[in-house]
Amino acid sequence: MFRLSLVRSVARPLSGRRLVHASAIRLSAEPIPAPEGSGAVEASPKIASIVDSVAGLTLLETSQLVDALKTKFNITEAVQVVAGAGAGAPAGGAGAAAAAEEKPAEKTEFKVTLKSFKAEQKAKVIREIKGLLPDMNLVAAKKFVESAPKVINDTMPKADAEKIKKALEAVGAEVTLE
């Protein structure tokens, strides 16, 4: 009972007030300089005045501006991702499409799958799997190995995937990278 009344007495003075992070408060009125070598493109005077106006806003005001623009133009996060992915295709033109056909993009993420293992090396494979997957205990690792073929990781960088493949093949497992 005492704790509850203490919590209420501490929380009551803060209710109704909005807390603002210290980074939202501008300490000086001078504009933030552009990074060196940013390669700024000359813009029309109308755009330049808008940019200057936005540069004068605080972080909180900028956040409110972004929210207002999203509301005004019905922009959602999913639309931004899709629009960002498709926006590069028309800009490249036919030259970029021809280059893409000649050389396919190198795959950066791989799916690592334990296909099978040698029966006499089962204990070593279980220990290796237990070491590779930190949230797995010995019993779970045993069930994981016995239920092969099984996916170890869906999205793994190429270097890590090859490292895991070498480690598991060294103890007698058959691993594939897709």
Side-chain angles (χ1 to χ4, degrees), residues 54-119:
V54 171
L57 298 176
T58 64
L59 187 59
L60 183 60
E61 291 169 334
T62 306
S63 173
Q64 291 171 351
L65 173 65
V66 169
D67 291 341
L69 288 173
K70 284 181 181 179
T71 304
K72 174 80 174 174
F73 296 113
N74 286 334
I75 297 172
T76 61
E77 297 301 321
V79 173
Q80 289 178 349
V81 171
V82 172
E101 289 178 17
E102 292 174 15
K103 183 180 177 186
E106 187 174 327
K107 196 172 181 181
T108 58
E109 292 185 345
F110 290 87
K111 181 168 127 180
V112 182
T113 308
L114 173 68
K115 289 293 183 185
S116 62
F117 57 92
K118 296 177 184 173

Side-chain angles (χ1 to χ4, degrees), residues 24 26 56 94 117 126 130 166 172:
R26 292 201 46 169
F117 57 92
I126 291 171
K130 183 180 176 286
K166 282 182 182 180

Side-chain angles (χ1 to χ4, degrees), residues 107 109-113 151-157 178:
K107 196 172 181 181
E109 292 185 345
F110 290 87
K111 181 168 127 180
V112 182
T113 308
V151 175
I152 296 171
N153 195 328
D154 283 334
T155 55
M156 184 171 277
E178 299 172 2

